[in-house]
Structure formats: structure tokens, C-alpha cells
Amino acid sequence: MGFIDKIKEKARQDKKTIILPESMDRRTFEAAEKILKEEIADLIIIGTTEQIEENSKGLDISKATIINPFTYEKTQQYIDLFVELRKSKGMTPELAKETILNDYAYYGCLMIKSGDADGMVSGACHSTANTLRPCLQIIKTKPGTKLVSAFFLMEVPDCEYGENGTFVFGDCGLNQNPNPEELAAIAISSAESFKMLVGKEPKVAMLSHSSKGSAKHADVDKVVEAVKLAKEMAPELELDGELQTDAAIVPSVGASKAPDSKVAGKANVLIFPDLDAGNIGYKLVQRLAKAEAYGPMTQGIAKPVNDLSRGCSSDDIVGVVAITAVQCQNN
């Protein structure tokens, strides 16, 4: 059984209610049909009658709950909540109504904040910023979390590295150039996400173009400092760096470049030094190794809201919904 099949099985054991706000995209309904048929989650789809009918033609979504925000009985309640949450930022009833009726991601986040749903998946036809801004404004960060970050769950076929080809890559979707404190926080959150989703012990490698002092540069210094901070914050965590990617995942290279490391050659959580490296890295693995890339998944938000790549397929949406449901179980 592959990783995503195990996640789907977990999701079925305690079904959660996930919102799909992108009723303007056919892929939403193709995914919804599969999710409902496989009983992965209960679904709420937000949209007008016209949007639903136009984009779901020929698909069976009869088990989904359809919410038309223009007519739903709780819309005024959500408007009032939005005003209360954002009144210090100048939110008015008129602006709140206009915002949530024109951007269903805001509407979905207000439903979650009200306890009417457990999580949300969006981003098939919206940017990461448009997906995450509403949840940061409405749902906000998890208590004790210093930083919201993003990761990809990578499943590489026929791969002996990582956890039988399964990795968490972070941060590949949100934080542009994290400082050492932020990089340490990303590492700890990513380790927690790996353990929750994969069920195995994380081994975290802080990646660099240098392994254990082989190069000298301010960029290397940043990773070295992040390693120090992460070890102070989570001393029980198996974490090491700075490591080049081959030293992190290939046992023979790890033994050569970092012989005293407990992580080198065994890493299953890879932390990239900045967003450029993370985005380039996950897309190379996805395209050249034909890996499944689920994400960017968020970590550090009080309730799970996850992003999609705008190039995603309906099957990608199914996978991210399943992962989101499992995150909701563990929330």
C-alpha cells in the first residue's frame, strides 16, 4: 500500500468535513466525486447554483453539502464574525459582506472559525497568497507557534532513500528567506508533520551547498546557526547540518562527508535554506523522478488550511484533501 493510500485509510477512520471553495473550477468537482465515492471526507462546496451546475456536469457530487453564500442562512453570522475579528483593522459590515461574497476562501475560513467545518483545501485557481491570507487573518496561528510555514509531502517511486521514498520537504511554498530562528522553527514543524503523517521517526537534515564546514559563506553560517537553535529548541529531535543533499540522503556519501552524524545518509525530512532552493528542489524531484508532490501543505495554523499548485490534477486535490483530513484528526 502506497503512502497516499495509507493516508486515505486513516482519513476514513474518523471522517472530517473539508471545504472546497473553488466552485469555479472543474477539477474541484472531479476531485469531489472521487473523495465522496472513496468516503475520504465529508465535503462542503461553496458556490452559486449557476457555478455548481456549470462545472459539475456529468459528475456525481450528490453527497456533498452545497453552500450558496448569497442565500445561506448563516451568511450574516459570518459577516458579523468577520467584522468582530477585523474591526481593529477597519473592517465594516459592508466591506465584510463584499469580501466574503467575492472570495469564497474568506467564507470558508469563517465557516471553520465558527466550527461548521474542520479544514479547507484551495489554490487550484488561486495563488498561495490568496489561499493563505484569509486563514492568517481569520483562523490565525496555532497557540505556541512562532511561524506558519509550508511543506511538500514527496513520494518518490522505486526509491531506497528517505522512508522508502517518502520525504517531507520544507519550506517550499511560503517563507522567502527565513532567518536562523525561522529556519529552526520550520525544521521542528516539518519533523512534527512527518511523524504525524508518515508515522515514523523524523530524521531532519538542514541542507546547504556545504557539508560540515566544507564551504565558507554567510549562507552557510545561517544554516549552522539554525541547526544550533533547533537543537536547543528540540533536543530530542534527530537533526543535523549543514549537509549537502547527497550527504543527507545517500548512506555512503553521508558516511564519507559527515561520519559522526546520526542523520547523514538517513534523512527523511529535508529543510531548504530558502524558498528558491525549496521550490526548485521539489519541482526537480517531482518532474525528473516522477514523484508525487502533495502540497504546499501548511503547518502552524490553528485549523488545517492547505494550498494547491495551480497546475494540480484532480487526483492531487484528492490527495491533499486526505492529508488535510488527517491533519484535522490530529489538530
Side-chain angles (χ1 to χ4, degrees):
M1 184 184 290
F3 165 77
I4 203 62
D5 295 314
K6 294 177 183 176
I7 289 292
K8 288 179 180 179
E9 187 57 40
K10 283 185 183 179
R12 291 186 194 101
Q13 291 169 10
D14 179 16
K15 279 208 295 183
K16 297 300 179 182
T17 299
I18 307 300
I19 297 171
L20 298 177
E22 293 179 305
S23 55
M24 65 294 295
D25 195 298
R26 173 83 174 172
R27 290 170 293 177
T28 293
F29 298 95
E30 293 171 344
E33 183 179 55
K34 296 171 187 176
I35 292 161
L36 295 166
K37 183 177 180 180
E38 295 183 45
E39 299 186 330
I40 295 166
D42 295 324
L43 294 180
I44 293 173
I45 302 176
I46 302 174
T48 64
T49 302
E50 294 75 21
Q51 288 169 325
I52 303 297
E53 289 179 352
E54 178 182 350
N55 293 305
S56 68
K57 287 178 182 176
L59 298 170
D60 181 8
I61 58 161
S62 57
K63 293 182 180 179
T65 299
I66 307 299
I67 299 294
N68 183 340
F70 291 88
T71 60
Y72 188 50
E73 60 188 18
K74 287 191 174 183
T75 294
Q76 186 59 49
Q77 177 183 315
Y78 298 146
I79 292 170
D80 295 342
L81 174 60
F82 197 16
V83 172
E84 179 64 26
L85 290 170
R86 302 290 293 173
K87 62 185 178 183
S88 65
K89 302 294 184 180
M91 183 60 67
T92 64
E94 295 75 21
L95 180 57
K97 181 177 181 179
E98 179 184 359
T99 301
I100 72 172
L101 293 182
N102 286 283
D103 189 337
Y104 297 162
Y106 276 96
Y107 197 98
C109 287
L110 288 162
M111 292 189 75
I112 294 169
K113 187 73 171 180
S114 299
D116 295 330
D118 299 303
M120 185 171 75
V121 172
S122 185
C125 53
H126 290 88
S127 69
T128 295
N130 286 340
T131 296
L132 297 183
R133 188 182 302 112
C135 67
L136 292 173
Q137 290 182 2
I138 295 167
I139 301 172
K140 304 188 178 177
T141 57
K142 188 183 297 184
T145 299
K146 294 182 178 179
L147 182 74
V148 173
S149 58
F151 68 93
F152 273 83
L153 200 297
M154 306 295 296
E155 188 176 17
V156 187
D158 303 317
C159 177
E160 71 270 33
Y161 304 131
E163 187 61 43
N164 296 318
T166 300
F167 295 86
V168 158
F169 285 11
D171 179 331
C172 302
L174 190 56
N175 292 286
Q176 181 68 50
N177 189 18
N179 62 35
E181 293 81 6
E182 292 168 336
L183 203 56
I186 290 166
I188 293 168
S189 292
S190 298
E192 292 171 353
S193 293
F194 182 90
K195 188 168 186 177
M196 177 181 69
L197 294 170
V198 182
K200 301 291 184 179
E201 288 301 315
K203 295 179 176 60
V204 184
M206 308 291 276
L207 298 183
S208 173
H209 68 275
S210 169
S211 287
K212 297 294 184 178
S214 65
K216 303 295 182 185
H217 192 275
D219 289 345
V220 177
D221 296 339
K222 178 179 86 167
V223 178
V224 171
E225 179 64 16
V227 171
K228 177 186 173 184
L229 292 171
K231 287 183 175 181
E232 291 173 356
M233 295 161 63
E236 76 289 349
L237 185 61
E238 288 195 41
L239 176 148
D240 204 5
E242 84 285 15
L243 293 169
Q244 294 163 300
T245 304
D246 56 354
I249 65 172
V250 181
S252 60
V253 180
S256 172
K257 292 186 176 182
D260 298 325
S261 173
K262 294 181 179 180
V263 170
K266 305 170 187 176
N268 48 32
V269 178
L270 304 183
I271 305 302
F272 293 84
D274 57 41
L275 189 58
D276 283 339
N279 186 273
I280 292 166
Y282 102 77
K283 287 183 176 176
L284 279 171
V285 174
Q286 180 187 30
R287 300 301 179 180
L288 299 185
K290 296 180 170 57
E292 295 292 341
Y294 299 101
M297 315 294 294
T298 57
Q299 49 196 8
I301 298 173
K303 296 289 181 71
V305 173
N306 284 314
D307 192 20
L308 296 160
S309 166
R310 278 172 284 179
C312 69
S313 67
S314 60
D315 284 334
D316 293 332
I317 299 174
V318 174
V320 173
V321 167
I323 293 170
T324 305
V326 172
Q327 286 181 311
C328 292
Q329 291 172 355
N330 289 272
N331 195 52

